[in-house]
Amino acid sequence: MCGIVGYIGKRDVQPILVNGLSKLEYRGYDSAGIAVLEPEGLGVRKAEGRLANLDGKLKTMPLKGTIGIGHTRWATHGGPSDANSHPHTDMSGAFSIVHNGIIENYLEIKEELAGKGVSFASETDTEAIVHLIADLYDGHLVSTVRRVIRKLQGAYSLGVITKHEPDKLVAVRQASPLVIGVGAGENFIASDISAILEHTKDVYILEDGDVATLTLDRIDIVKGDTGQAVDRKLHRIDWDEEQVQKGPYEHFMLKEIHEQPLTLRNTMAGRIDGGNRIVLPEIPLPEEELQKIEKMYIVACGTAYHAGLVGKFAIESLTRIPVEVDIASEFRYRDPIVSDNTLVIVVSQSGETADTIAALQESQRRGAKVLAITNVAGSTIARQADYVLATKAGPEIAVASTKAYTAQLLAFELLGLYFAQTLRTLDDETRSSLIDGVKQLPHQVEKLLANADEIKWFAESIRDRRSVFFIGRGLDYAVALEASLKLKEISYIHSEAYAAGELKHGSLALVEEGTPVIALVTHQQLFEKTVSNIKEAKARGARVMGVTVDGNVELLDSVDEACFIPRTHQLFAPILAVVPMQLLSYYTALALGNDIDKPRNLAKSVTVE
């Protein structure tokens, strides 16, 4: 979950590395560091804390050279400290590496090296790798690295440089993302395309087991186990540099909330034809194949899991095929009942979520077809899945996901409608009416965002509260889970979401005078039931904010405040209802003065188990 960047070329490397790390800091920000091949040897600077601390050091002690590697860390082995920061070097200072991932057998390697007199300066698993490289070095960095990775167990991407071979940068990928950027007389490595986007849009996406050697004007990729040369497709990235800049917004999260109308338009673009039919050529599942599917699983983590809960409701109600939603980190460990009559849908914004990749692979091993909903073309999940539905949300920089979530919701709606259309479980009139509702969503989100400031007053009122509770029924409960997660992620206020009907089964004990309760009441069929639960909370002293659809003014009799969203079909209400919840989280964190884009202890892409 750390960020790696590397450069080899003719330009001064320090500003390139620091700027690249600034684009990767969302992946981890416990510490940062760079290593540069200077004329006299390897120079290393690193610092605990945010990138600004490293930048301060470099202003007084700059590094000069044209080859280097950089790293921003999310701590796994060893707490945040200068010593545990990357890059790590061997005892002689001749080799330096950066690493993203976890080495599971590092203690065995450390014990073996310690027996040879190697001393360790950090608590990290990474340091074992660089000492092993130094121990096995045979005069050829690439062959040495290939021998080293045969001894490693776990997930890792690596960038390696040495003063013994100052004309090359070696990169490795094994179950952890890494791309190579191709320039003119210069080349790059990075954990994420955003780090190098201003320099090049041409990238190779490394696959597991790849070992790449970069020089000024050449990139060679071989398989680590055999040394056999491999060809990787050169991808042209269609993201613009502006997409990874904040522009006029104070934070990336606010920018990305406001980008949601465009994201929704992009995700549906080309997928609805003139006859109001869903067109998904990337999912070639004919009726006879869909008829064989007895069950679907939706497997994901975090926000993507919450999107899956909405997806379950949409697919089941539109197709009547049973759907189970599971947390990816639990899925493969419970011996899931998966067969060739099962469709597994995995969801991941980055396409690199380690637990979700493992669930994908386990499902395919058991004979299931896997459909991926992801935002990153060329990611591991996109490459390994049988079918891919891209969300087209563009780069999402803030750790707390917003536009990627609503794009995932829309992808599920399109998918459910496509399955229903193929299986003919909807009549043409109903299907066309639903698709008309889908097409209205971007404009309806724009209307909500035009009144974004209206949510500030409630955010101000909860900033000092100890706990906040979200309640809802049906689809509203799924949205409540995501709303609660957003609030706790960036405000650090304790927050929980409950199925509203469960309040009386224990949770009401937590409600006291003044406790904030946010009640989502957009599901018309469950309106009266949820209002009854609101009154239960009010009777215990709760202060209730209701979120409902335009026209439901009777809710005002049961709540203290209300927020209204545009009227839509109940299947699509989550896409609208979550927007004021995202704004509530944002403005609460803003009122508390928190670092909104980089909340403590979290990282954007969880690429370790």
XYZ file of all heavy atoms in Angstrom, residues 158-243:
662
model
N 9.191 -3.909 -6.623
C 10.502 -3.411 -6.209
C 11.078 -2.473 -7.255
O 10.881 -2.654 -8.453
C 11.498 -4.568 -6.013
C 11.117 -5.721 -5.087
C 12.165 -6.828 -5.178
C 10.972 -5.235 -3.660
N 11.828 -1.484 -6.768
C 12.715 -0.685 -7.600
C 14.106 -0.801 -7.012
O 14.281 -0.619 -5.805
N 15.102 -1.131 -7.845
C 16.450 -1.422 -7.354
C 17.480 -0.657 -8.169
O 17.431 -0.655 -9.401
C 16.770 -2.940 -7.446
C 18.089 -3.254 -6.752
C 15.639 -3.781 -6.875
N 18.411 -0.019 -7.463
C 19.557 0.614 -8.125
C 20.830 0.267 -7.358
O 20.779 -0.071 -6.166
C 19.415 2.158 -8.221
C 19.187 2.779 -6.832
C 18.298 2.530 -9.175
C 19.135 4.302 -6.840
N 21.965 0.345 -8.037
C 23.254 0.105 -7.396
C 24.328 0.970 -8.030
O 24.291 1.233 -9.242
C 23.669 -1.373 -7.492
O 24.969 -1.538 -6.903
C 23.722 -1.871 -8.927
N 25.278 1.376 -7.212
C 26.389 2.188 -7.740
C 27.306 1.355 -8.633
O 28.069 1.905 -9.434
C 27.178 2.801 -6.597
C 28.012 1.834 -5.785
C 28.843 2.562 -4.729
C 29.777 1.623 -3.998
N 30.594 2.325 -2.983
N 27.223 0.025 -8.513
C 28.059 -0.845 -9.352
C 27.600 -0.843 -10.808
O 28.407 -1.130 -11.704
C 28.033 -2.283 -8.823
C 28.576 -2.436 -7.441
N 29.787 -1.905 -7.043
C 28.063 -3.064 -6.339
C 30.006 -2.193 -5.775
N 28.965 -2.891 -5.318
N 26.337 -0.531 -11.045
C 25.804 -0.488 -12.413
C 24.946 0.763 -12.541
O 23.710 0.699 -12.527
C 25.001 -1.758 -12.710
C 25.836 -3.028 -12.615
C 25.047 -4.296 -12.839
O 24.332 -4.362 -13.872
O 25.139 -5.213 -12.003
N 25.611 1.915 -12.648
C 24.897 3.192 -12.600
C 24.137 3.554 -13.861
O 23.626 4.671 -13.973
C 26.030 4.193 -12.344
C 27.228 3.566 -12.964
C 27.078 2.092 -12.746
N 24.018 2.617 -14.774
C 23.306 2.897 -16.028
C 21.960 2.194 -16.093
O 21.329 2.165 -17.143
C 24.162 2.465 -17.214
C 24.461 0.967 -17.218
O 24.352 0.344 -16.135
O 24.796 0.424 -18.288
N 21.514 1.618 -14.982
C 20.255 0.885 -15.061
C 19.435 0.983 -13.779
O 19.956 1.226 -12.692
C 20.494 -0.585 -15.429
C 21.312 -1.394 -14.459
C 21.356 -2.880 -14.884
C 21.997 -3.108 -16.226
N 23.467 -3.084 -16.176
N 18.134 0.770 -13.951
C 17.159 0.698 -12.881
C 16.373 -0.589 -13.107
O 15.863 -0.829 -14.202
C 16.231 1.913 -12.937
C 14.916 1.897 -12.155
C 15.157 1.732 -10.669
C 14.128 3.177 -12.419
N 16.303 -1.428 -12.091
C 15.614 -2.714 -12.210
C 14.308 -2.657 -11.427
O 14.269 -2.142 -10.296
C 16.498 -3.871 -11.701
C 15.716 -5.188 -11.684
C 17.736 -4.011 -12.580
N 13.264 -3.170 -12.035
C 11.940 -3.170 -11.412
C 11.366 -4.578 -11.434
O 11.583 -5.339 -12.380
C 11.001 -2.215 -12.146
N 10.610 -4.913 -10.380
C 10.009 -6.245 -10.245
C 8.560 -6.090 -9.819
O 8.247 -5.234 -8.983
C 10.757 -7.091 -9.180
C 10.109 -8.470 -9.054
C 12.230 -7.203 -9.506
N 7.714 -6.934 -10.356
C 6.325 -6.973 -9.899
C 5.924 -8.406 -9.553
O 6.114 -9.323 -10.350
C 5.369 -6.444 -10.961
C 3.897 -6.586 -10.483
C 2.905 -6.608 -11.592
N 1.635 -7.119 -11.093
C 0.491 -6.439 -11.055
N 0.449 -5.218 -11.516
N -0.596 -6.981 -10.572
N 5.362 -8.565 -8.351
C 4.757 -9.827 -7.956
C 3.573 -9.519 -7.040
O 3.749 -9.191 -5.871
C 5.761 -10.727 -7.222
C 5.185 -12.058 -6.762
C 4.649 -12.894 -7.918
O 5.322 -13.042 -8.937
N 3.453 -13.426 -7.776
N 2.374 -9.569 -7.603
C 1.122 -9.369 -6.851
C 1.030 -7.985 -6.215
O 0.351 -7.806 -5.214
C 0.956 -10.447 -5.780
N 1.703 -7.017 -6.798
C 1.641 -5.639 -6.305
C 1.862 -4.726 -7.506
O 2.788 -4.950 -8.295
C 2.715 -5.404 -5.240
O 2.572 -4.147 -4.640
N 1.042 -3.690 -7.687
C 1.032 -2.959 -8.962
C 2.317 -2.188 -9.243
O 2.916 -1.598 -8.348
C -0.155 -2.001 -8.798
C -0.338 -1.858 -7.326
C 0.044 -3.175 -6.743
N 2.710 -2.192 -10.510
C 3.854 -1.405 -10.961
C 3.722 -1.181 -12.463
O 3.416 -2.108 -13.214
C 5.174 -2.114 -10.654
C 6.425 -1.236 -10.636
C 6.356 -0.212 -9.499
C 7.684 -2.067 -10.507
N 3.951 0.064 -12.883
C 3.918 0.394 -14.303
C 5.250 1.008 -14.707
O 5.985 1.550 -13.866
C 2.772 1.369 -14.652
C 1.431 0.774 -14.269
C 2.969 2.721 -13.984
N 5.551 0.922 -15.988
C 6.747 1.546 -16.555
C 6.302 2.621 -17.524
O 5.514 2.358 -18.442
C 7.627 0.516 -17.275
C 8.170 -0.507 -16.274
C 8.780 1.201 -18.007
C 8.971 -1.620 -16.936
N 6.785 3.831 -17.322
C 6.496 4.922 -18.226
C 7.602 5.084 -19.251
O 8.786 5.053 -18.900
N 7.219 5.266 -20.502
C 8.179 5.325 -21.600
C 8.307 6.768 -22.069
O 7.331 7.396 -22.473
C 7.726 4.431 -22.766
C 8.745 4.473 -23.895
C 7.490 3.007 -22.285
N 9.526 7.295 -22.024
C 9.790 8.641 -22.497
C 10.814 8.660 -23.606
O 11.249 7.617 -24.099
N 11.248 9.842 -24.007
C 12.289 9.998 -25.025
C 13.617 10.228 -24.306
O 13.854 11.278 -23.723
C 11.965 11.182 -25.928
N 14.484 9.226 -24.330
C 15.752 9.317 -23.626
C 15.608 9.264 -22.114
O 16.518 9.655 -21.384
N 14.472 8.770 -21.641
C 14.227 8.645 -20.208
C 13.081 7.665 -19.996
O 12.208 7.529 -20.851
C 13.877 9.993 -19.585
C 12.657 10.664 -20.190
C 12.388 12.051 -19.617
O 13.247 12.586 -18.895
O 11.304 12.595 -19.892
N 13.115 6.994 -18.857
C 12.060 6.049 -18.531
C 11.735 6.134 -17.041
O 12.543 6.628 -16.243
C 12.469 4.626 -18.924
C 12.561 4.461 -20.436
O 11.592 4.694 -21.154
N 13.740 4.074 -20.925
N 10.554 5.623 -16.670
C 10.032 5.805 -15.319
C 9.438 4.494 -14.802
O 9.010 3.646 -15.586
C 8.901 6.845 -15.309
C 9.220 8.149 -15.965
C 9.186 8.279 -17.356
C 9.557 9.271 -15.210
C 9.471 9.489 -17.971
C 9.830 10.484 -15.818
C 9.789 10.587 -17.194
N 9.383 4.360 -13.476
C 8.557 3.332 -12.857
C 7.666 4.023 -11.830
O 8.026 5.062 -11.280
C 9.374 2.213 -12.178
C 10.194 2.747 -10.990
C 10.249 1.490 -13.178
C 10.827 1.669 -10.124
N 6.508 3.426 -11.573
C 5.604 4.011 -10.577
C 4.559 2.978 -10.173
O 4.204 2.095 -10.952
C 4.920 5.260 -11.118
N 4.069 3.121 -8.935
C 2.970 2.280 -8.461
C 1.671 2.667 -9.134
O 0.742 1.854 -9.208
C 2.801 2.428 -6.947
O 3.940 2.008 -6.268
N 1.602 3.895 -9.590
C 0.344 4.425 -10.115
C 0.671 5.370 -11.261
O 1.626 6.152 -11.191
C -0.398 5.169 -9.002
C -1.825 5.511 -9.366
O -2.023 6.164 -10.407
O -2.730 5.151 -8.612
N -0.130 5.305 -12.295
C 0.091 6.127 -13.488
C 0.120 7.613 -13.153
O 0.844 8.393 -13.778
C -1.007 5.822 -14.530
C -0.834 4.401 -15.067
C -1.008 6.827 -15.660
C -2.057 3.825 -15.732
N -0.662 8.026 -12.147
C -0.750 9.449 -11.829
C 0.601 10.064 -11.495
O 0.821 11.255 -11.711
C -1.718 9.672 -10.658
O -1.262 9.024 -9.489
N 1.538 9.254 -10.980
C 2.832 9.780 -10.569
C 3.699 10.227 -11.738
O 4.605 11.046 -11.577
C 3.586 8.733 -9.751
N 3.430 9.697 -12.924
C 4.287 9.993 -14.079
C 3.508 10.590 -15.243
O 4.057 10.790 -16.321
C 5.028 8.723 -14.543
C 4.043 7.596 -14.866
C 6.016 8.269 -13.470
C 4.686 6.324 -15.401
N 2.243 10.899 -15.001
C 1.357 11.323 -16.088
C 1.815 12.607 -16.753
O 1.617 12.793 -17.958
C -0.062 11.488 -15.535
C -1.203 11.606 -16.552
C -1.239 10.400 -17.476
C -2.534 11.747 -15.817
N 2.434 13.497 -16.012
C 2.870 14.750 -16.620
C 4.092 14.564 -17.512
O 4.434 15.440 -18.304
C 3.161 15.799 -15.556
C 4.371 15.538 -14.690
C 4.573 16.655 -13.683
O 3.878 16.658 -12.650
O 5.431 17.520 -13.951
N 4.754 13.421 -17.414
C 5.951 13.159 -18.211
C 5.673 12.276 -19.422
O 6.325 12.402 -20.459
C 7.034 12.497 -17.346
C 7.385 13.264 -16.125
N 7.993 14.507 -16.163
C 7.188 12.975 -14.806
C 8.181 14.947 -14.927
N 7.700 14.041 -14.088
N 4.726 11.338 -19.269
C 4.421 10.427 -20.371
C 3.038 9.830 -20.177
O 2.571 9.674 -19.047
C 5.461 9.296 -20.465
O 5.118 8.430 -21.558
C 5.503 8.477 -19.183
N 2.396 9.488 -21.292
C 1.123 8.771 -21.239
C 1.253 7.366 -21.808
O 0.265 6.647 -21.923
C 0.046 9.543 -22.009
C -0.336 10.862 -21.353
C -1.506 11.516 -22.058
C -1.930 12.793 -21.345
N -3.099 13.431 -21.985
N 2.491 6.982 -22.160
C 2.754 5.656 -22.711
C 3.333 4.768 -21.621
O 4.412 5.063 -21.082
C 3.717 5.736 -23.886
C 3.132 6.515 -25.055
O 1.937 6.324 -25.344
O 3.857 7.331 -25.652
N 2.646 3.690 -21.297
C 3.085 2.852 -20.189
C 2.987 1.371 -20.529
O 2.131 0.941 -21.309
C 2.265 3.121 -18.902
C 2.379 4.577 -18.484
C 0.812 2.720 -19.064
N 3.897 0.616 -19.931
C 3.766 -0.834 -19.866
C 3.251 -1.170 -18.476
O 3.731 -0.624 -17.479
C 5.119 -1.527 -20.065
C 5.712 -1.390 -21.441
C 6.844 -0.613 -21.660
C 5.154 -2.068 -22.531
C 7.408 -0.491 -22.921
C 5.707 -1.945 -23.796
C 6.833 -1.159 -23.983
O 7.378 -1.045 -25.232
N 2.299 -2.084 -18.413
C 1.798 -2.549 -17.120
C 2.412 -3.911 -16.864
O 2.126 -4.882 -17.574
C 0.265 -2.613 -17.123
C -0.306 -1.211 -17.379
C -0.251 -3.173 -15.799
C -1.798 -1.189 -17.595
N 3.288 -3.981 -15.884
C 3.975 -5.236 -15.594
C 2.992 -6.269 -15.060
O 2.003 -5.945 -14.411
C 5.092 -5.010 -14.576
C 6.264 -4.131 -15.020
C 7.342 -4.098 -13.942
C 6.856 -4.615 -16.336
N 3.302 -7.520 -15.334
C 2.508 -8.632 -14.835
C 3.315 -9.394 -13.798
O 4.539 -9.220 -13.668
C 2.080 -9.542 -15.986
C 1.187 -8.821 -16.987
C 0.607 -9.741 -18.044
O 0.753 -10.987 -17.894
O 0.006 -9.230 -19.008
N 2.625 -10.237 -13.038
C 3.298 -10.965 -11.966
C 4.465 -11.777 -12.499
O 4.352 -12.480 -13.514
C 2.315 -11.895 -11.257
C 1.351 -11.142 -10.364
O 1.565 -9.932 -10.153
O 0.389 -11.762 -9.868
N 5.590 -11.667 -11.797
C 6.793 -12.393 -12.189
C 7.685 -11.643 -13.149
O 8.778 -12.121 -13.485
N 7.269 -10.462 -13.601
C 8.078 -9.678 -14.535
C 9.259 -9.007 -13.822
O 9.114 -8.472 -12.720
C 7.241 -8.582 -15.198
C 6.325 -9.113 -16.288
O 6.420 -10.310 -16.615
O 5.528 -8.325 -16.815
N 10.406 -9.040 -14.503
C 11.588 -8.281 -14.070
C 11.975 -7.382 -15.236
O 12.250 -7.870 -16.339
C 12.760 -9.208 -13.699
C 13.993 -8.388 -13.321
C 12.370 -10.131 -12.540
N 11.988 -6.077 -14.993
C 12.266 -5.116 -16.068
C 13.581 -4.400 -15.805
O 13.883 -4.033 -14.663
C 11.138 -4.103 -16.169
N 14.342 -4.194 -16.867
C 15.575 -3.411 -16.800
C 15.389 -2.152 -17.618
O 15.100 -2.213 -18.817
C 16.770 -4.210 -17.357
O 16.849 -5.463 -16.687
C 18.058 -3.430 -17.153
N 15.544 -0.995 -16.968
C 15.378 0.295 -17.636
C 16.733 0.961 -17.783
O 17.518 1.043 -16.814
C 14.473 1.221 -16.824
C 12.969 0.945 -16.794
C 12.646 -0.329 -16.002
C 12.231 2.122 -16.182
N 17.037 1.433 -18.978
C 18.178 2.303 -19.226
C 17.638 3.589 -19.847
O 16.429 3.791 -19.929
C 19.198 1.623 -20.151
O 18.585 1.373 -21.420
C 19.700 0.309 -19.555
N 18.537 4.449 -20.288
C 18.081 5.715 -20.864
C 17.148 5.512 -22.041
O 16.162 6.240 -22.191
C 19.293 6.537 -21.332
C 20.210 7.125 -20.261
C 21.376 7.829 -20.930
C 19.456 8.089 -19.379
N 17.453 4.555 -22.885
C 16.713 4.425 -24.139
C 16.225 3.016 -24.418
O 15.926 2.657 -25.551
C 17.578 4.897 -25.317
C 18.954 4.235 -25.332
O 19.142 3.255 -24.590
O 19.820 4.710 -26.090
N 16.119 2.197 -23.359
C 15.725 0.811 -23.597
C 14.987 0.256 -22.374
O 15.298 0.602 -21.229
C 16.968 -0.043 -23.888
C 16.665 -1.456 -24.325
C 17.964 -2.192 -24.639
N 17.706 -3.597 -24.953
C 17.464 -4.046 -26.163
N 17.449 -3.213 -27.187
N 17.248 -5.344 -26.367
N 14.011 -0.607 -22.644
C 13.295 -1.321 -21.585
C 13.252 -2.789 -21.980
O 12.740 -3.141 -23.057
C 11.858 -0.788 -21.407
C 11.887 0.678 -20.955
C 11.092 -1.641 -20.400
C 10.536 1.361 -21.044
N 13.816 -3.637 -21.131
C 13.785 -5.075 -21.367
C 13.008 -5.733 -20.236
O 13.278 -5.485 -19.054
C 15.199 -5.654 -21.418
C 15.987 -5.129 -22.604
O 15.537 -5.328 -23.749
O 17.049 -4.512 -22.391
N 12.070 -6.589 -20.596
C 11.241 -7.275 -19.593
C 11.400 -8.775 -19.784
O 11.255 -9.295 -20.902
C 9.761 -6.881 -19.728
C 9.588 -5.358 -19.646
C 8.921 -7.551 -18.629
C 8.177 -4.881 -19.938
N 11.712 -9.465 -18.695
C 11.846 -10.918 -18.730
C 11.013 -11.519 -17.605
O 10.647 -10.837 -16.646
C 13.313 -11.370 -18.594
C 14.163 -10.790 -19.708
C 13.880 -10.995 -17.217
N 10.726 -12.811 -17.726
C 10.103 -13.526 -16.625
C 11.180 -13.864 -15.599
O 12.249 -14.384 -15.948
C 9.426 -14.812 -17.111
C 8.268 -14.582 -18.066
C 7.216 -13.652 -17.487
C 6.493 -14.234 -16.293
N 5.465 -13.304 -15.745
N 10.878 -13.571 -14.347
C 11.881 -13.746 -13.308
C 12.333 -15.172 -13.132
O 13.508 -15.426 -12.827
N 11.441 -16.133 -13.344
C 11.817 -17.526 -13.085
C 12.636 -18.130 -14.209
O 13.526 -18.955 -13.966
C 10.567 -18.363 -12.812
C 9.520 -18.249 -13.911
O 9.694 -17.421 -14.834
O 8.520 -18.997 -13.854
N 12.392 -17.720 -15.456
C 13.071 -18.343 -16.597
C 14.078 -17.435 -17.293
O 14.956 -17.923 -18.005
C 12.042 -18.797 -17.649
O 11.378 -17.636 -18.179
C 11.013 -19.738 -17.029
N 13.923 -16.131 -17.136
C 14.769 -15.189 -17.859
C 14.331 -14.974 -19.289
O 14.984 -14.242 -20.047
N 13.221 -15.590 -19.669
C 12.737 -15.478 -21.042
C 12.141 -14.096 -21.282
O 11.352 -13.592 -20.489
C 11.682 -16.548 -21.315
C 11.122 -16.516 -22.731
C 10.090 -17.612 -22.960
O 9.799 -18.387 -22.052
N 9.534 -17.671 -24.166
N 12.528 -13.480 -22.398
C 12.011 -12.155 -22.747
C 10.514 -12.237 -23.036
O 10.037 -13.212 -23.622
C 12.754 -11.603 -23.958
N 9.783 -11.208 -22.597
C 8.346 -11.163 -22.848
C 7.985 -9.800 -23.434
O 8.642 -8.795 -23.176
C 7.528 -11.402 -21.557
C 7.690 -12.823 -21.076
C 7.911 -10.417 -20.466
N 6.944 -9.798 -24.244
C 6.419 -8.555 -24.797
C 5.190 -8.143 -23.999
O 4.293 -8.951 -23.777
C 6.027 -8.731 -26.270
C 7.238 -8.905 -27.172
O 8.263 -8.267 -26.885
O 7.150 -9.693 -28.140
N 5.164 -6.899 -23.593
C 3.993 -6.360 -22.920
C 3.411 -5.258 -23.793
O 4.150 -4.479 -24.413
C 4.367 -5.799 -21.538
C 4.851 -6.862 -20.567
C 3.726 -7.759 -20.115
N 4.200 -8.854 -19.266
C 4.030 -10.130 -19.557
N 3.392 -10.480 -20.666
N 4.473 -11.063 -18.739
N 2.090 -5.187 -23.817
C 1.415 -4.198 -24.640
C 1.697 -2.789 -24.115
O 1.639 -2.535 -22.910
C -0.093 -4.463 -24.620
C -0.907 -3.475 -25.437
C -2.398 -3.774 -25.324
C -3.223 -2.748 -26.065
N -4.683 -3.008 -25.911
N 1.991 -1.882 -25.034
C 2.173 -0.484 -24.664
C 0.803 0.186 -24.636
O 0.090 0.215 -25.631
C 3.088 0.226 -25.664
C 3.509 1.654 -25.294
C 4.376 1.664 -24.043
C 4.255 2.319 -26.455
N 0.437 0.704 -23.473
C -0.870 1.343 -23.300
C -0.727 2.860 -23.428
O 0.234 3.454 -22.912
C -1.445 1.024 -21.916
C -1.762 -0.417 -21.706
N -3.005 -0.961 -21.938
C -0.977 -1.443 -21.280
C -2.983 -2.254 -21.664
N -1.764 -2.572 -21.256
N -1.686 3.473 -24.068
C -1.761 4.935 -24.143
C -2.833 5.379 -23.157
O -4.014 5.048 -23.313
C -2.118 5.388 -25.557
C -2.208 6.908 -25.729
C -0.840 7.549 -25.683
N -0.930 8.987 -25.941
C 0.113 9.813 -25.898
N 1.309 9.337 -25.601
N -0.035 11.098 -26.137
N -2.449 6.116 -22.135
C -3.376 6.530 -21.089
C -4.138 7.767 -21.555
O -3.541 8.754 -22.003
C -2.617 6.838 -19.782
C -1.792 5.608 -19.361
C -3.584 7.241 -18.690
C -2.598 4.353 -19.190
N -5.471 7.722 -21.414
C -6.287 8.839 -21.892
C -6.655 9.825 -20.790
O -7.462 10.720 -20.991
C -7.553 8.334 -22.596
C -8.430 7.487 -21.683
O -8.107 7.343 -20.490
O -9.458 6.974 -22.174
N -6.076 9.673 -19.597
C -6.300 10.655 -18.542
C -5.525 11.934 -18.855
O -4.446 11.899 -19.451
C -5.814 10.137 -17.198
C -6.594 8.976 -16.664
C -7.733 8.446 -17.173
C -6.261 8.185 -15.515
N -8.142 7.382 -16.412
C -7.270 7.198 -15.386
C -5.230 8.227 -14.584
C -7.259 6.261 -14.365
C -5.221 7.296 -13.565
C -6.226 6.320 -13.461
N -6.078 13.053 -18.440
C -5.387 14.327 -18.577
C -4.700 14.682 -17.269
O -5.161 14.321 -16.185
C -6.378 15.448 -18.932
C -6.984 15.249 -20.306
O -6.255 14.786 -21.205
O -8.184 15.540 -20.471
N -3.611 15.428 -17.365
C -2.900 15.877 -16.160
C -3.818 16.679 -15.246
O -3.717 16.606 -14.010
C -1.683 16.717 -16.573
C -0.950 17.412 -15.437
C -0.320 16.459 -14.436
O -0.272 15.250 -14.698
O 0.112 16.933 -13.371
N -4.752 17.424 -15.829
C -5.673 18.225 -15.019
C -6.501 17.351 -14.080
O -6.936 17.799 -13.022
C -6.615 19.034 -15.915
C -5.945 20.216 -16.601
C -6.939 21.034 -17.410
O -8.156 20.741 -17.319
O -6.510 21.946 -18.119
N -6.729 16.099 -14.459
C -7.550 15.216 -13.646
C -6.869 14.838 -12.330
O -7.540 14.370 -11.413
C -7.908 13.953 -14.431
C -8.884 14.196 -15.580
C -9.195 12.918 -16.313
O -8.462 12.492 -17.195
N -10.285 12.286 -15.954
